[in-house]
Amino acid sequence: MTGVLVTGGAGFLGSHLCDRLIARGEDVLCVDNFFTGSKRNISHLLDHPYFELMRHDVTFPLYVEVNRIFNLACPASPIHYQFDPVQTTKTSVHGAINMLGLAKRVKARILQASTSEVYGDPEIHPQPESYWGKVNPIGIRSCYDEGKRCAETLFFDYFRQHRMEIKVVRIFNTYGPRMHPNDGRVVSNFICQALAGEDLTIYGSGLQSRSFCYVDDLIEAMLRMMDSPPDFTGPVNLGNPAEFTMLELAEKIIAITGGSSKLCFKPLPEDDPRQRQPDISLAKKSLGWVPTVALDDGLKETIAYFRRMLAQ
């Protein structure tokens, strides 16, 4: 039995992961319910002999034969995960149960794509994996934050109870080509607004900070994590520790697009974290990984992608 299952494989990260797996000669089964994923992201793979696409929702059991599972299925932007919060929680929790059940049956190694949102609005900066987080369990972001936290719980309970081979990565802000143009995330928002000649929307003072990791760097880290020794389970932070304020990001995007957009300030959304920066010491030590793509270089690639897409 060989093969790699990628849930959420038609999404932003999932489609890039499928590309890398196919390039490595893997037999890839891409599963997606297309709530936020798009066939456009994987259309170039549809005729590849080692690629198979299946429409499926991970909140229902899946019966396939694979030896590795990357569980990426879940809407990841506030606009999308707050659209149907009950379904978002079910995707994280029922999805984890179903994929862990599959991994247990076929004795597959399984990786969970968790998130920096498990840290909530952090009191420690930067955030190490040992930090338990400060999360509102009943807020409008809780469906995603607590769903991912519960998924991590399930992974480690399956590991302890069934001695399964698990891997857990906590993904910090990632950007790049194939981002959804209407996902409400700051990079895609700013780029689309700048290309349309609109003012860039800044929430709050614009001094809240984020760390932005280019998608190629992130996928490399995920592959290294999956290939790491069985006794290294994580969780491990994956992200770029270079930190930028929203004002700095806006200025970079206006400069690269060559536009004349101004800044428009609006109130900060509920439970929006003020700071987010990964401590990647563990990834450096255990995976030999550090991000290599500078923000300016990654933004140029991402802006070029959005120019092409919006011109169609």
Side-chain angles (χ1 to χ4, degrees):
M1 177 181 63
T2 59
V4 181
L5 168 62
V6 180
T7 72
F12 165 47
L13 293 181
S15 62
H16 284 278
L17 177 59
C18 287
D19 282 343
R20 284 291 304 275
L21 290 167
I22 289 291
R24 295 200 327 179
E26 304 277 7
D27 203 337
V28 175
L29 172 59
C30 168
V31 165
D32 208 296
N33 69 348
F34 297 106
F35 174 59
T36 57
S38 170
K39 286 185 180 177
R40 178 202 301 242
N41 291 339
I42 41 89
S43 60
H44 60 288
L45 295 174
L46 292 176
D47 293 329
H48 196 285
Y50 291 162
F51 182 82
E52 183 178 356
L53 174 63
M54 177 188 296
R55 183 186 289 269
H56 180 81
D57 188 322
V58 296
T59 61
F60 297 95
L62 181 63
Y63 300 95
V64 293
E65 299 293 319
V66 292
N67 60 2
R68 292 195 170 188
I69 301 168
F70 288 87
N71 187 36
L72 276 62
C74 189
S77 74
I79 284 179
H80 292 145
Y81 67 62
Q82 291 170 15
F83 175 77
D84 188 345
V86 172
Q87 183 64 22
T88 296
T89 302
K90 287 173 67 176
T91 300
S92 286
V93 178
H94 291 192
I97 291 169
N98 287 329
M99 291 306 107
L100 285 162
L102 170 61
K104 180 171 175 277
R105 284 193 302 274
V106 300
K107 297 180 171 56
R109 176 177 289 191
I110 181 168
L111 180 146
Q112 167 67 8
S114 190
T115 172
S116 62
E117 299 296 337
V118 300
Y119 299 122
D121 191 1
E123 302 154 301
I124 295 176
H125 190 75
Q127 295 80 56
E129 291 85 355
S130 58
Y131 176 53
W132 290 358
K134 179 190 172 190
V135 178
N136 177 0
I138 59 170
I140 59 172
R141 300 169 68 101
S142 307
C143 57
Y144 185 69
D145 301 1
E146 296 288 32
K148 290 289 192 176
R149 284 164 69 94
C150 185
E152 287 196 17
T153 300
L154 286 161
F155 266 69
F156 279 90
D157 283 338
Y158 266 78
F159 167 70
R160 287 184 287 260
Q161 189 171 337
H162 302 296
R163 305 309 303 168
M164 287 173 48
E165 289 191 16
I166 68 160
K167 306 284 180 181
V168 176
V169 296
R170 291 175 177 165
I171 299 171
F172 283 68
N173 288 54
T174 305
Y175 70 99
R178 301 182 197 159
M179 291 185 81
H180 197 294
N182 300 316
D183 68 2
R185 295 195 218 189
V186 65
V187 173
S188 50
N189 272 4
F190 283 178
I191 291 174
C192 289
Q193 288 174 333
L195 291 176
E198 300 170 356
D199 290 343
L200 273 58
T201 306
I202 302 278
Y203 293 100
S205 66
L207 297 178
Q208 66 270 37
S209 63
R210 293 292 185 273
S211 306
F212 301 101
C213 185
Y214 189 61
V215 62
D216 290 357
D217 283 334
L218 192 282
I219 298 303
E220 174 64 26
M222 288 181 68
L223 291 170
R224 291 191 189 196
M225 183 60 175
M226 181 62 98
D227 294 340
S228 65
D231 59 351
F232 182 58
T233 60
V236 60
N237 289 336
L238 301 182
N240 192 322
E243 190 177 7
F244 298 89
T245 67
M246 299 302 96
L247 292 176
E248 289 171 328
L249 177 67
E251 289 164 1
K252 284 180 179 292
I253 288 173
I254 291 171
I256 295 171
T257 57
S260 57
S261 300
K262 303 290 188 266
L263 304 182
C264 172
F265 291 85
K266 293 189 176 180
L268 196 65
E270 181 183 337
D271 294 335
D272 191 58
R274 292 163 307 214
Q275 287 182 304
R276 193 58 68 66
Q277 181 189 22
D279 180 337
I280 61 168
S281 303
L282 183 59
K284 289 179 181 177
K285 176 184 174 184
S286 298
L287 304 177
W289 175 83
V290 290
T292 60
V293 180
L295 181 59
D296 284 40
D297 294 332
L299 286 176
K300 288 173 185 174
E301 293 294 326
T302 310
I303 288 167
Y305 166 79
F306 275 103
R307 278 193 200 279
R308 292 192 300 271
M309 188 181 72
L310 295 174
Q312 292 176 359

